[in-house]
Amino acid sequence: MSIFQNRIRQTRDRGAYFFIAPYAVFFMLFVAYPLIFSIILIFHRWNIVTPMEWIGLRNLERLVQDALFFKAIGNTLIFLSIHIPLQVAVALFFALLLNSKIQFRGFFRSVYFFPVIVSGVVVTILWQQLYSYDEGLLNTMLNAAGLKSVPWLVDPSIAMPSIALMATWKNVGLYIILFLVGLQTIPRQLYEAADMDGASNWNKFYHVTLPMLNPTVVLIFILSTIGGFSLFIEPYVMTGGGPMNSTLSAMLYIYNQAFTFNHMGYAAALGFVFALIIFGVVIVQRKFIERESYS
Amino acid sequence: MTIDIKRIYCAVITIVLLLVLSGCNDSQEFEAGDTNRGVTLTYWPAPNPQEIELADSLVRYWNDRNPHIQVRMQPIPVGQSTEEVLLAAIAAGTTPDVCSNIWPGGLHDYIDAGGLIPLDRFDDFFTVLDERMPRDILDAFRSAEGHYYQVPWKTNPVMMLYNKDILRIAGYTDPPATYSEYIEIGKAIRDIDRSGSRHGLWMGQRDIRPIWWQRLFDFYPFYIAASGGRTLFQDGEIDIVNEYAEKVLDFFQQVYKEQLFPRTFTHGRDLFLQGNVATNFAGSWQIATIRRYAPDFALGIAPIPVPDGYEGPVYTYGDYKNISIFSTTRYPEEAWEFVKFLIEARHDLLLLEITDQIPVRDDLLRNELFAEYFERNPEIIHFAEQAPYTRGVDEIFDLQEIFDAISQEYEASAIYNRKEPLQALRDAERRIQLIKAWNR
């Protein structure tokens, strides 16, 4: 008799299965079934309205030749390489400030969180106006200061960093809260011991705060990575993937293939490969940034 | 307290069965031909205020006079585009009986899905349509397999609307007819001193994002005009690496290089309506908007500019919207009666009165019925005169993806000057051929 069968028999209250049944049904209908169907779709051509047509590996063959998909992956990685370090650094900076005894601390904690709860589309439209090359507020201010206009969204080399900056502004509030929680769980005795040893503020930050925040940093890196890989609203609303596909994210490209051009099978293939890439990146990330934290 | 699991299971199963059985209620209505009990048709017009108003008037009139064939009007559900909504409806089996916002470019997909019924199955189809337009115009809307799935209803010839006041400030009274005239006037407008003003003045403005359908209002009508009426495909093959497309791309490249158009996209602001942009390429639908929001606007209308040295009539893209009957209809004969009602001459007049859009009929400027309308609305005469010189889109699979490929190269060449026009066209053609190979 297996351990599992023993446990079943030992469970007195079989009502537990009744209570997990709704989620199990939800999971089967909205997660497992779509996942399995997506994998089946990879080997078919389907535009929703006509019957699915088996085409074997043709979608994957097309993917390998599709330079635009790899460009989209590259764009997404560029976005992440700017957005994640910026977000972590900015969030930590403000969390340290908001963790200290300052006036109106509660007010500032709330204000920094506001952008997180505002609709992504609204924020994107606002920033699109700010970034407008000819009449945007940012360039108007630069011109008033005697500086040249910056082609925020119309220069292929600047457009994606501009989007990364905007995304950081939008989401940093959430990570400030996570860092605040992490900071407040650091035992005070560690700082007291460091004070007794004559440690400077920088030494305390580097040798106490950062190591103790490692689990929080790992969490934020992973959340930012997963969130960053789903970059869609900003390029969709702001730039349409331009200028010259420099802001075309992988999610936007998959969306276009699925819902603009109705290539469901090809979009499923793109999504599957993209999911593998995300999985690989997260594994590598954990290996490099996760350290044993001091208990 | 112990829970009697068996009773809970029984209760849950009972509830689920009741829900399932209640959902199986057949709410089917009446059968065709049973005029004693009547039928109800569902009609989807375009979801803009003017066409909803038109549809509402027509449906009320119809329902008053046809108690046994009632029509329920529902604007097309909101979506990114009508084509996406209709495809989703075909997939779900939730299509209406009749829809009057059928874009010919999307027809291929609907036919492929078996979503439409051929209208030439009705005995009087040709009799009715021959009264409205010449057979050669009707044949332009015949599908590749020989049937007619759409009734040509209205067209919006894309023309150049211009602000006479801005041209006058720049020192011009006549609108530009050629590319060089357009650029010359554009430079004069660009150089107007605006140091005291918050907003710039531009010759024109286009959405700089590479969105496929935006090309229907810049590159494509200009290409049709420059080529004397050619579309993208000739004998089923893509044919855009030619002097006409090259001239069009070169023109737009000049326009952006000379900073005659802003490299800006403005959400929710119409710079033309606000008086910051001198020209706009649009159909007659914009007339109603101008009348409502800028009644003092000094509006001029002219054909799309053409390359220097061009001779002959100026063609343009006619943004056709047609009427079709979906295959899910249970009352095809009744639906056809309603379609015939929609395209009666007096209802074409209503279309003009309410929406300022051009009905597809060849007697528009000769028929006394419309004379008084054109007397009151002389600006619409330009669109009516342009209507015979329009082209639609090719009936080709993957048209949206093809326009997307063109849009990418248009962006690279015209807007950002990263490619020579000829190279951009070759790259577009290469990608289009790849698209067609991938999707077969």
Side-chain angles (χ1 to χ4, degrees):
Chain A
M1 192 182 297
S2 70
I3 295 172
F4 180 69
Q5 285 171 324
N6 266 334
R7 285 191 179 171
I8 294 248
R9 288 200 177 179
Q10 288 166 10
T11 303
R12 290 178 182 271
D13 191 355
R14 290 190 170 80
Y17 295 106
F18 173 76
F19 285 103
I20 66 171
Y23 180 74
V25 170
F26 172 86
F27 181 83
M28 293 304 294
L29 282 178
F30 296 106
V31 180
Y33 171 70
L35 185 62
I36 295 167
F37 186 71
S38 296
I39 294 172
I40 294 170
L41 257 187
I42 291 171
F43 306 101
H44 290 80
R45 177 184 295 133
W46 189 48
N47 67 357
I48 299 182
V49 291
T50 53
M52 288 168 59
E53 180 192 347
W54 172 267
I55 57 171
L57 298 175
R58 280 190 63 186
N59 281 328
L60 294 169
E61 286 170 15
R62 174 179 173 176
L63 188 154
V64 168
Q65 301 169 47
D66 192 349
L68 208 47
F69 177 59
F70 292 104
K71 176 140 181 75
I73 298 279
N75 290 341
T76 308
L77 292 174
I78 290 172
F79 170 81
L80 287 169
S81 65
I82 299 168
H83 173 60
I84 294 177
L86 187 62
Q87 183 141 270
V88 171
V90 170
L92 181 57
F93 174 74
F94 281 107
L96 288 168
L97 283 181
L98 292 172
N99 198 41
S100 55
K101 289 185 174 54
I102 57 171
Q103 286 264 354
F104 308 117
R105 187 167 64 174
F107 167 76
F108 285 115
R109 285 180 178 180
S110 303
V111 158
Y112 281 116
F113 194 72
F114 278 166
V116 177
I117 58 175
V118 175
S119 155
V121 173
V122 169
V123 168
T124 305
I125 291 173
L126 283 171
W127 274 81
Q128 187 178 48
Q129 299 305 310
L130 285 176
Y131 277 146
S132 169
Y133 180 69
D134 299 290
E135 296 184 353
L137 181 60
L138 290 178
N139 280 344
T140 303
M141 284 164 46
L142 288 172
N143 295 159
L147 300 168
K148 273 184 168 176
S149 292
V150 175
W152 301 101
L153 297 178
V154 293
D155 185 322
S157 57
I158 299 177
M160 191 54 107
S162 302
I163 288 182
L165 188 66
M166 187 216 83
T168 301
W169 179 88
K170 165 93 174 71
N171 298 307
V172 74
L174 176 64
Y175 302 113
I176 290 174
I177 300 295
L178 291 175
F179 269 131
L180 273 174
V181 170
L183 285 169
Q184 283 165 17
T185 59
I186 300 175
R188 294 179 62 81
Q189 299 91 302
L190 295 177
Y191 291 110
E192 288 165 3
D195 282 335
M196 283 176 12
D197 288 342
S200 64
N201 283 337
W202 168 254
N203 284 335
K204 279 188 281 187
F205 172 74
Y206 190 76
H207 293 290
V208 177
T209 307
L210 272 186
M212 294 305 292
L213 280 181
N214 184 253
T216 309
V217 170
V218 170
L219 174 66
I220 289 174
F221 260 86
I222 291 172
L223 289 178
S224 298
T225 302
I226 293 170
F229 270 114
S230 58
L231 176 67
F232 172 76
I233 291 177
E234 293 85 353
Y236 181 75
V237 174
M238 262 182 164
T239 59
M244 298 183 56
N245 293 319
S246 60
T247 62
L248 179 69
S249 68
M251 284 304 296
L252 179 57
Y253 188 64
I254 294 169
Y255 171 87
N256 283 341
Q257 288 298 326
F259 302 111
T260 306
F261 308 136
N262 298 316
H263 300 321
M264 292 297 174
Y266 185 53
L270 293 172
F272 181 73
V273 168
F274 189 47
L276 289 179
I277 293 173
I278 295 173
F279 185 68
V281 167
V282 170
I283 296 289
V284 168
Q285 209 175 40
R286 286 196 66 177
K287 187 176 162 53
F288 280 99
I289 65 174
E290 198 170 304
R291 295 184 299 169
E292 188 184 335
S293 61
Y294 296 98
S295 57
Chain B
M1 185 187 84
T2 56
I3 299 170
D4 187 340
I5 295 301
K6 281 186 187 160
R7 286 198 180 182
I8 291 173
Y9 284 163
C10 288
V12 167
I13 289 168
T14 304
I15 292 168
V16 168
L17 277 174
L18 284 172
L19 284 171
V20 168
L21 287 170
S22 68
C24 292
N25 179 32
D26 185 355
S27 59
Q28 294 295 339
E29 293 191 29
F30 314 104
E31 293 300 322
D34 187 355
T35 53
N36 287 331
R37 298 180 69 188
V39 306
T40 302
L41 300 172
T42 302
Y43 166 48
W44 281 6
N48 61 68
Q50 291 88 5
E51 288 191 54
I52 291 171
E53 184 187 338
L54 170 70
D56 189 57
S57 300
L58 290 172
V59 166
R60 281 176 196 278
Y61 186 84
W62 167 275
N63 284 341
D64 283 343
R65 285 152 184 77
N66 295 276
H68 297 303
I69 308 176
Q70 293 289 285
V71 173
R72 184 170 62 100
M73 188 270 289
Q74 178 193 356
I76 291 175
V78 173
Q80 174 86 343
S81 68
T82 295
E83 292 70 48
E84 286 179 24
V85 171
L86 289 177
L87 273 178
I90 290 173
T94 56
T95 42
D97 296 279
V98 176
C99 178
S100 61
N101 200 41
I102 303 294
W103 180 55
L107 209 75
H108 221 76
D109 287 329
Y110 310 151
I111 297 171
D112 207 39
L116 302 177
I117 65 170
L119 302 176
D120 48 335
R121 71 184 245 181
F122 300 110
D123 294 334
D124 56 350
F125 174 78
F126 289 106
T127 311
V128 171
L129 273 294
D130 285 344
E131 282 178 10
R132 190 176 167 81
M133 67 193 72
R135 189 62 70 91
D136 60 340
I137 293 184
L138 180 62
D139 280 348
F141 297 96
R142 187 176 60 190
S143 295
E145 27 82 289
H147 288 291
Y148 297 82
Y149 290 87
Q150 52 186 332
V151 168
W153 185 41
K154 62 182 174 77
T155 181
N156 281 296
V158 174
M159 300 189 75
M160 183 176 69
L161 283 64
Y162 64 95
N163 186 322
K164 290 180 182 174
D165 288 339
I166 297 179
L167 257 63
R168 193 167 37 246
I169 294 171
Y172 293 87
T173 49
D174 294 331
T178 64
Y179 290 174
S180 58
E181 288 174 12
Y182 191 91
I183 290 174
E184 180 190 319
I185 295 176
K187 285 180 182 175
I189 290 172
R190 179 196 64 193
D191 296 338
I192 292 173
D193 181 12
R194 300 280 294 174
S195 50
S197 174
R198 199 166 151 248
H199 296 292
L201 268 185
W202 307 92
M203 185 59 178
Q205 184 201 22
R206 293 294 309 142
D207 192 334
I208 60 169
R209 297 175 301 172
I211 298 172
W212 70 269
W213 57 265
Q214 290 287 350
R215 304 290 77 80
L216 296 173
F217 302 99
D218 44 46
F219 174 81
Y220 191 54
F222 271 73
Y223 174 68
I224 292 174
S227 63
R230 285 165 70 114
T231 58
L232 297 178
F233 284 77
Q234 305 297 319
D235 300 322
E237 293 298 319
I238 185 70
D239 179 24
I240 53 169
V241 184
N242 54 54
E243 58 175 306
Y244 314 113
E246 193 180 352
K247 284 178 183 172
V248 172
L249 271 189
D250 185 67
F251 166 71
F252 279 106
Q253 196 178 68
Q254 290 299 311
V255 157
Y256 280 101
K257 217 189 281 186
E258 298 291 346
Q259 297 176 45
L260 309 186
F261 284 17
R263 285 203 183 100
T264 292
F265 172 66
T266 50
H267 262 293
R269 284 172 57 209
D270 187 332
L271 293 186
F272 181 67
L273 211 61
Q274 282 179 201
N276 293 109
V277 158
T279 65
N280 191 27
F281 307 112
S284 55
W285 70 80
Q286 183 143 46
I287 305 295
T289 310
I290 291 172
R291 281 205 199 112
R292 176 184 256 190
Y293 296 109
D296 298 327
F297 197 100
L299 177 67
I301 300 165
I304 298 281
V306 290
D308 297 16
Y310 176 88
E311 287 176 4
V314 177
Y315 285 80
T316 188
Y317 170 58
D319 185 22
Y320 289 91
K321 289 293 161 64
N322 300 332
I323 304 173
S324 292
I325 300 175
F326 285 85
S327 58
T328 46
T329 186
R330 296 166 62 233
Y331 315 110
E333 299 291 335
E334 288 82 354
W336 173 237
E337 291 303 311
F338 181 65
V339 170
K340 287 192 291 183
F341 167 82
L342 289 176
I343 60 174
E344 286 177 15
R346 57 199 168 129
H347 301 140
D348 283 337
L349 177 61
L350 207 57
L351 170 67
L352 281 165
E353 296 273 4
I354 295 177
T355 72
D356 292 314
Q357 294 183 55
I358 310 296
V360 181
R361 54 186 312 130
D362 70 335
D363 64 346
L364 204 55
L365 293 172
R366 298 191 310 268
N367 193 324
E368 278 301 311
L369 185 64
F370 307 110
E372 196 250 335
Y373 168 81
F374 285 117
E375 257 182 58
R376 285 185 286 110
N377 301 279
E379 63 274 8
I380 304 293
I381 295 177
H382 297 280
F383 293 95
E385 289 172 342
Q386 181 75 66
Y389 301 100
T390 57
R391 292 288 181 268
V393 290
D394 299 284
E395 197 186 304
I396 295 281
F397 279 109
D398 307 313
L399 196 64
Q400 285 139 324
E401 202 169 358
I402 287 166
F403 267 99
D404 179 72
I406 292 172
S407 209
Q408 304 287 341
E409 299 305 328
Y410 169 89
E411 187 200 27
S413 176
I415 299 176
Y416 295 108
N417 194 21
R418 299 295 176 107
K419 285 188 191 183
E420 291 302 316
L422 192 58
Q423 185 59 47
L425 292 167
R426 287 190 178 127
D427 290 344
E429 186 178 79
R430 197 171 305 123
R431 183 150 177 102
I432 291 167
Q433 283 163 348
L434 262 179
I435 288 166
K436 290 175 71 62
W438 280 335
N439 295 332
R440 287 301 134 248

